[in-house]
Amino acid sequence: MGLLTIIKKQKLKDKECRCLVLGLDNSGKSTVVDWVLSVYKNQDRRTITPTVGFQIHTVPFANHNVQLWDIGGQSTLRPYWDNYFDKTDVLLWVMDTAAASRMDESVQELKTILRNRDRLGYNCRIIVLLNKKDLVEGADKVTQTLQSDLERLLQLENVPIETRASNALTGEGLETLMASIVGGKCVDRGVRESTIKSIS
Ligand SMILES: Nc1nc2c(ncn2[C@@H]2O[C@H](COP(=O)(O)OP(=O)(O)O)[C@@H](O)[C@H]2O)c(=O)[nH]1
Ligand SMILES: [Mg+2]
């Protein structure tokens, strides 16, 4: 391995960003992760089955190692979500834009998390991903309305949130999402490895 390669690899290791991917079951979390892996790690796209427990993937992006923690969203698994909160840089909250009947449930779950922000850490950034935009007619208008509704609903929590829209099947919106994920503060890799060991 040439010196340049070693230096490049070391640089990548220096910046690590831990992103917790949460949201209700069927919102598209694993599909988002799958698209990211296919593009930035050249992995074949998989057939997605409901996530039982959690999966951790590390993806190189813009001089960062982005750790994506894909956590199962079924109601039986939600009481365990906070086991993963420690040292999270970004909480990516995935919502199914087309599932109007589950919107309220999703917002309530997010509110519960935000009310316990001491567990998540006050430096953790919150990104809400309005996924499955391809399934709604007039997606841009719908996501705009949803965005302002969300801001109003989460106002009481007094937490700044960033909203993005995506189609995880085609990857639309996901490259800018990745850029946004690494845009925040990231910390040293060593700290994170000890956390993974203690949880797994
Ligand atoms: N049309 C459409 N379907 C999606 C999108 N994202 C995910 N899906 C589908 O939604 C279903 C649930 O996705 P999955 O990633 O397993 O959701 P998870 O339970 O949140 O991990 C799967 O059938 C996916 O193919 C999207 O952006 N558009
Ligand atoms: Mg899943």
Side-chain angles (χ1 to χ4, degrees):
M1 195 187 303
L3 185 60
L4 205 61
T5 319
I6 294 172
I7 293 171
K8 270 188 191 156
K9 283 201 168 171
Q10 189 54 45
K11 266 188 149 179
L12 201 64
K13 280 182 187 166
D14 287 344
K15 286 186 172 179
E16 186 139 303
C17 187
R18 175 165 152 154
C19 174
L20 195 56
V21 187
L22 279 183
L24 302 187
D25 47 297
N26 204 49
S27 54
K29 300 177 294 296
S30 300
T31 311
V32 167
V33 172
D34 188 59
W35 183 88
V36 170
L37 292 174
S38 75
V39 171
Y40 302 109
K41 285 197 103 174
N42 289 326
Q43 289 189 11
D44 289 335
R45 294 205 75 173
R46 298 163 298 161
T47 308
I48 307 287
T49 50
T51 310
V52 180
F54 68 96
Q55 290 192 341
I56 310 167
H57 301 277
T58 305
V59 182
F61 182 86
N63 285 340
H64 286 73
N65 270 325
V66 181
Q67 250 184 34
L68 296 169
W69 290 60
D70 179 11
I71 316 284
Q74 294 96 320
S75 53
T76 48
L77 299 173
R78 292 177 206 163
Y80 304 102
W81 277 352
D82 61 1
N83 288 339
Y84 305 95
F85 284 0
D86 231 17
K87 312 233 166 45
T88 296
D89 296 303
V90 178
L91 169 67
L92 177 63
W93 185 258
V94 183
M95 295 178 83
D96 178 346
T97 317
S101 61
R102 299 195 76 193
M103 209 52 90
D104 196 40
E105 185 188 357
S106 177
V107 171
Q108 289 312 321
E109 292 289 358
L110 179 56
K111 273 189 169 185
T112 305
I113 293 176
L114 297 183
R115 283 189 185 133
N116 297 304
R117 267 196 101 205
D118 46 338
R119 290 290 317 273
L120 199 57
Y122 289 89
N123 289 328
C124 175
R125 291 181 306 125
I126 318 289
I127 302 177
V128 175
L129 187 67
L130 301 170
N131 189 39
K132 304 198 188 183
K133 63 177 276 191
D134 54 300
L135 296 182
V136 271
E137 232 174 279
D140 289 342
K141 201 151 188 246
V142 173
T143 51
Q144 255 177 26
T145 311
L146 266 176
Q147 183 172 351
S148 48
D149 283 357
L150 277 172
E151 278 164 14
R152 187 174 42 79
L153 287 166
L154 297 171
Q155 215 171 32
L156 282 179
E157 275 36 78
N158 203 16
V159 182
I161 57 161
E162 191 181 323
T163 321
R164 303 198 154 266
S166 65
N167 170 355
L169 296 182
T170 62
E172 188 186 344
L174 296 184
E175 187 166 1
T176 46
L177 171 72
M178 286 297 284
S180 169
I181 287 172
V182 300
K185 208 174 109 232
C186 296
V187 302
D188 257 3
R189 183 185 175 85
V191 182
R192 299 311 155 81
E193 281 187 340
S194 56
T195 321
I196 296 173
K197 275 183 200 134
S198 66
I199 291 178
S200 53

